[in-house]
């Protein structure tokens, strides 16, 4: 196994310099709390066989839930902003965008039609029409349609003063199965299918529709003495995803248009995690994990037209990497009580800030805390604080359930799973 890890790491370091550039990505399905992400724990884990397990996760920002329930009504604030921007636009603004605006407001035959260049008198007449139309003629649906067209065809909603519609989203089905041997060795095969997104739905941010199949293998062993344990885990996977522009998701709900407009990406990759654990006593242990110590993916591009007339795959010249993170945890177990205190997401955020100028450091993403109480051998409850949010869960004979709420993006989530 060690030789295999060395070979794969060597291949990654050979491939990386040959690429046009290294591009960071966010793996929405990476689980920092998974045992293969903290592989030193494999040596203390009891022998476990999961013939088949699945998890269903659903999370959404309240803003986006409101939009899904009533698209026209939830865009009212954006419609007001659009109206104010148009009414305050000067002569150059209207001449630059008139061809777009004439399509945005093509709702009835009374709309004034002019040829360019527009004069001040023309613009005054158009504004008078819009003022009357917004007050008496346009309904919520027509105003919402104008907003979506403005998002897709202008820069109006890219202004820092523009309203936002939080697009935090996670709809995922996870399936997995594997064996933890109880002697430090473990393996697993898993698959993820889902749609994940974040950011402002009224801007150029995007969501990802993804499907993957992954295999994990890990091993842990004592080093120097029985108090120190070192573990490593390797993941190899096949990936397929499609980047969906968030405005296209808005339009899909509003008008039924197809949200998938970009090519599919088909790829493969490897990821390596490593960790060390210091067992201070029977009740207290400390772990330090290096997640995504090596994590690279390479993609080929499949155009949408290839589904009808396949014309070969084009290689994406970039190599994508998941930024490294270092996670330090204190683990305390005392009978039925289990507490985990964690510090992480420091290195990862610093890497992203170096790559993206608009990224800011989130101090509330660093500390995390979890508490588990075993009511009996079959039933346990847990709660936690992480990423400016709270969670509460229950586990009973392999059946798991969890609800969560995030204060940062005002999102709510539910999770259910079962393994046997």
């Amino acid at each position: 196994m060690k030789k295999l890890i060395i070979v794969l790491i060597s291949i990654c370091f050979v491939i990386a310099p040959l690429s046009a550039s290294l591009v960071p990505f966010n793996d929405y399905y990476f689980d920092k709390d998974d045992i293969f992400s903290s592989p030193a724990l494999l040596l203390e884990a009891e022998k476990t066989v999961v013939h088949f397990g699945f998890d269903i996760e659903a999370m959404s920002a309240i803003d986006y839930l409101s939009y899904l329930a009533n698209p026209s009504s939830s865009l009212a604030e954006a419609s007001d902003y659009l109206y104010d921007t148009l009414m305050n636009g000067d002569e150059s603004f209207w001449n630059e965008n008139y061809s777009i605006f004439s399509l945005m407001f093509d709702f009835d035959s009374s709309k004034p039609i002019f040829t360019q260049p527009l004069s001040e008198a023309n613009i005054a007449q158009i504004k008078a029409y819009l003022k009357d139309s917004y007050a008496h003629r346009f309904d919520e649906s027509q105003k919402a349609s104008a907003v979506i067209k403005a998002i897709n065809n202008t820069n109006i909603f890219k202004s820092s003063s523009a309203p936002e519609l939080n697009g935090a989203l996670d709809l995922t089905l996870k399936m997995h199965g594997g064996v933890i041997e109880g002697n430090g060795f473990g393996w697993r095969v898993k698959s993820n299918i889902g749609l994940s997104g974040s950011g402002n739905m009224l801007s150029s941010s995007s969501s990802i529709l993804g499907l993957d199949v992954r295999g994990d293998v890990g091993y842990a062993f004592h080093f120097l003495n029985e108090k120190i344990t070192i573990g490593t885990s390797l993941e190899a996977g096949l990936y397929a995803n499609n980047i969906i522009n968030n405005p296209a998701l808005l339009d899909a709900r509003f008008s039924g248009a197809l949200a998938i407009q970009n090519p599919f990406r088909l790829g493969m990759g490897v990821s390596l995690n490593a960790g060390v654990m210091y067992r201070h006593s029977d009740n207290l242990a400390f772990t330090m994990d290096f997640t995504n110590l090596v994590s690279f993916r390479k993609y080929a591009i499949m155009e949408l037209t290839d589904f009808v007339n396949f014309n070969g795959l084009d290689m994406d010249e970039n190599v994508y990497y998941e930024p490294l993170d270092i996670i330090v945890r204190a683990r305390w177990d005392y009978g039925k009580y289990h507490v985990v205190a964690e510090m992480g997401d420091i290195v990862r955020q610093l890497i992203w800030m170096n790559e993206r100028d608009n990224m800011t450091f989130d101090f509330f993403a660093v500390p995390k805390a979890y508490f588990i109480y075993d009511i009996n051998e079959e039933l346990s409850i847990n709660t936690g604080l992480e990423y400016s949010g709270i969670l509460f869960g229950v586990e009973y004979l392999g059946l798991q359930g969890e609800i969560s709420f995030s204060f940062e993006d005002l999102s709510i989530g539910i999770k259910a799973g079962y393994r046997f």
Side-chain angles (χ1 to χ4, degrees), residues 35 37-45 182-185 218-233 273-281 284-290 327 329 331:
I35 193 169
S37 301
S38 187
L41 299 177
L42 285 166
L43 189 59
E44 293 191 352
N183 60 1
F185 179 76
Y219 182 67
F221 56 93
H222 289 306
F223 180 72
L224 298 179
N225 57 57
E226 292 188 355
K227 286 184 174 291
I228 302 176
T229 304
I230 293 178
T232 60
S233 68
N273 300 316
V276 59
M277 177 173 64
Y278 173 70
R279 172 58 66 182
H280 177 72
S281 65
L284 181 63
F286 300 92
T287 60
M288 177 180 289
D289 298 307
F290 301 86
I327 302 175
R329 296 182 177 98
R331 300 175 179 273

Side-chain angles (χ1 to χ4, degrees), residues 145-401:
S145 177
V147 168
I148 292 175
K149 290 178 180 178
I151 293 170
N152 288 321
N153 298 287
T154 74
N155 295 321
I156 290 177
F157 285 93
K158 294 181 181 180
S159 169
S160 58
S161 61
E164 297 184 0
L165 195 158
N166 196 324
L169 172 68
D170 182 12
L171 299 172
T172 306
L173 169 63
K174 301 181 179 181
M175 297 173 286
H176 56 90
V179 177
I180 304 298
E181 295 289 355
N183 60 1
F185 179 76
W187 64 269
R188 176 183 59 192
V189 176
K190 61 181 179 180
S191 177
N192 304 290
I193 306 171
L195 176 65
S196 300
S198 60
N200 178 16
M201 298 292 288
L202 305 182
S203 72
S204 57
S205 59
S206 59
S207 301
I208 294 182
L209 176 66
L211 165 66
D212 62 55
V213 178
R214 315 183 189 199
D216 294 288
V217 60
Y219 182 67
F221 56 93
H222 289 306
F223 180 72
L224 298 179
N225 57 57
E226 292 188 355
K227 286 184 174 291
I228 302 176
T229 304
I230 293 178
T232 60
S233 68
L234 177 71
E235 178 177 279
L238 300 174
Y239 310 92
N241 59 55
N242 189 283
I243 298 176
I244 302 176
N245 299 327
N246 280 347
L249 279 179
L250 290 180
D251 198 16
R253 171 63 183 91
F254 182 79
S255 66
L258 183 65
I260 297 177
Q261 301 173 351
N262 297 317
F264 279 86
R265 302 192 305 167
L266 310 176
M268 59 178 58
V270 294
S271 179
L272 177 69
N273 300 316
V276 59
M277 177 173 64
Y278 173 70
R279 172 58 66 182
H280 177 72
S281 65
D282 291 341
N283 302 116
L284 181 63
F286 300 92
T287 60
M288 177 180 289
D289 298 307
F290 301 86
T291 62
N292 297 304
L293 186 61
V294 175
S295 182
F296 291 120
R297 294 184 188 176
K298 189 69 176 174
Y299 286 99
I301 306 300
M302 183 176 180
E303 300 290 343
L304 297 181
T305 54
D306 287 333
F307 287 96
V308 179
N309 182 20
F310 184 71
N311 195 30
L313 301 177
D314 298 321
M315 291 302 300
D316 186 337
E317 294 183 352
N318 298 321
V319 169
Y320 295 83
Y321 73 96
E322 173 79 355
L324 162 75
D325 197 23
I326 300 176
I327 302 175
V328 178
R329 296 182 177 98
R331 300 175 179 273
W332 181 75
D333 301 284
Y334 186 78
K336 297 182 177 181
Y337 304 95
H338 312 276
V339 177
V340 178
E342 174 184 319
M343 298 287 287
D345 283 283
I346 298 177
V347 177
R348 184 174 182 272
Q349 288 195 77
L350 292 176
I351 294 174
W352 273 109
M353 289 172 63
N354 183 63
E355 295 288 341
R356 302 286 173 85
D357 295 335
N358 61 343
M359 293 288 292
T360 58
F361 192 86
D362 182 6
F363 289 95
F364 294 104
V366 176
K368 306 169 187 70
Y370 308 92
F371 171 73
I372 302 173
Y373 175 67
D374 299 324
I375 297 177
N376 52 49
E377 294 182 355
E378 299 175 344
L379 177 64
S380 65
I381 58 175
N382 67 84
T383 186
L385 298 172
E386 61 176 13
Y387 301 108
S388 302
I390 58 175
L391 60 88
F392 177 80
V394 177
E395 181 174 355
Y396 177 71
L397 292 177
L399 180 64
Q400 298 176 330

